């Protein structure tokens, strides 16, 4: 048992400037729009009251910009980049968003060898979480990441199968929304150093 719970606040990045409405995935230069910057500021206000021991972000520009907003309000923070928090690697990036909508948000089925599946996202988050729990046990850490990364982490934590179709079943899993909102915060609370522990899930939209 640890002396105090370890809390990892998974922050989805703010809204992105995407006038062509494509699935941007890991494409470069997709940063926050004005609404996204305001959302990031709201998340930063919430996080800056949490005495963060560390702040991490995905390598993607939108995630780094969201995280740097937290740094602006907390000069003691130092941003660390983690590939474990990165967006899903999918063959469908660059395609029109309407194509994704027609697939029900499924960027996994038929993606082919070399692209990520939901299990791969969760494996990354579990590695990240284990590293955080070892280094910052009993403290609070924030990590800016992406919607599907949060979604499948929640499904894993709540015991749902990691299948593409379950991406649309967050409410059935007990999550308060159908998909994590921009700059929302999903907190993973761990009470031990057990590698098999599934964290408690809490959600807030600041």
């Amino acid at each position: 048992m640890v002396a105090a719970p370890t809390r990892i606040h998974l922050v989805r990045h703010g809204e992105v400037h995407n006038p062509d409405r494509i699935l941007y995935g890991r494409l470069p230069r997709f940063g926050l729009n004005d609404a996204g910057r305001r959302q990031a500021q709201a998340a930063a206000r919430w996080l800056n009251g949490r005495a963060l021991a560390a702040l991490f972000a995905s390598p993607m520009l939108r995630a780094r910009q969201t995280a740097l907003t937290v740094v602006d309000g907390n000069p003691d923070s130092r941003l660390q980049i983690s590939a474990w928090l990165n967006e899903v690697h999918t063959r469908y990036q660059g395609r029109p968003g309407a194509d994704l909508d027609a697939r029900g948000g499924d960027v996994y089925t038929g993606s082919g060898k070399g692209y990520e599946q939901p299990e791969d996202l969760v494996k990354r988050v579990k590695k990240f979480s284990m590293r955080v729990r070892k280094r910052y046990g009993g403290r609070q850490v924030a990590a800016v990441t992406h919607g599907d990364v949060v979604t499948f982490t929640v499904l894993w934590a709540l015991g749902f199968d990691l299948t593409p179709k379950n991406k649309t079943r967050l409410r059935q899993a007990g999550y308060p929304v159908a998909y994590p909102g921009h700059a929302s915060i999903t907190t993973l609370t761990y009470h031990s150093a057990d590698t098999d522990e599934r964290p408690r899930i809490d959600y807030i939209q600041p």
Side-chain angles (χ1 to χ4, degrees):
M1 295 293 291
V2 295
T6 303
R7 292 186 171 89
I8 301 174
H9 304 292
L10 294 181
V11 185
R12 187 186 175 200
H13 61 78
E15 186 177 314
V16 175
H17 180 66
N18 181 20
D20 295 328
R21 298 182 60 80
I22 67 168
L23 176 63
Y24 35 76
R26 293 187 179 183
L27 295 174
R29 297 185 294 279
F30 278 87
L32 301 181
N33 61 18
D34 289 342
R37 285 187 281 272
R38 290 192 296 271
Q39 293 161 348
Q41 289 166 0
R45 286 192 292 271
W46 190 90
L47 289 167
N48 286 338
R50 297 299 181 277
L52 297 178
L55 174 63
F56 296 86
S58 154
M60 294 293 97
L61 176 60
R62 56 195 179 273
R64 290 186 282 115
Q65 288 176 328
T66 301
L68 286 171
T69 303
V70 180
V71 173
D72 287 344
N74 186 353
D76 292 333
S77 296
R78 180 178 67 85
L79 179 58
Q80 303 177 60
I81 304 301
S82 174
W84 286 332
L85 300 170
N86 208 352
E87 179 65 278
V88 58
H89 179 43
T90 172
R91 67 180 296 178
Y92 297 104
Q93 68 181 27
R95 298 271 292 273
D99 290 358
L100 178 62
D101 293 340
R103 295 178 58 86
D106 179 2
V107 297
Y108 305 95
T109 302
S111 59
K113 186 177 180 180
Y115 296 102
E116 288 187 304
Q117 293 295 317
E119 294 88 347
D120 299 311
L121 306 187
V122 173
K123 284 178 183 177
R124 288 202 265 116
V125 174
K126 289 170 73 174
K127 289 178 181 178
F128 172 79
S129 298
M130 201 66 241
R131 178 74 61 87
V132 166
R133 291 158 68 193
K134 288 179 179 178
R135 186 169 182 181
Y136 302 103
R139 304 172 75 183
Q140 300 188 59
V141 165
V144 183
T145 185
H146 305 272
D148 274 20
V149 176
V150 176
T151 294
F152 286 108
T153 299
V154 169
L155 290 170
W156 161 74
L158 297 178
F160 272 56
D161 291 337
L162 299 178
T163 60
K165 68 179 181 181
N166 277 346
K167 178 179 171 178
T168 62
R169 297 177 177 176
L170 280 180
R171 287 191 187 276
Q172 290 175 249
Y175 201 65
V177 293
Y179 195 74
H182 285 108
S184 63
I185 300 168
T186 298
T187 300
L188 315 180
T189 301
Y190 292 91
H191 292 279
S192 75
D194 186 347
T195 56
D196 294 325
E197 181 185 359
R198 299 197 186 208
R200 191 188 78 203
I201 298 293
D202 294 286
Y203 176 87
I204 187 169
Q205 181 77 62

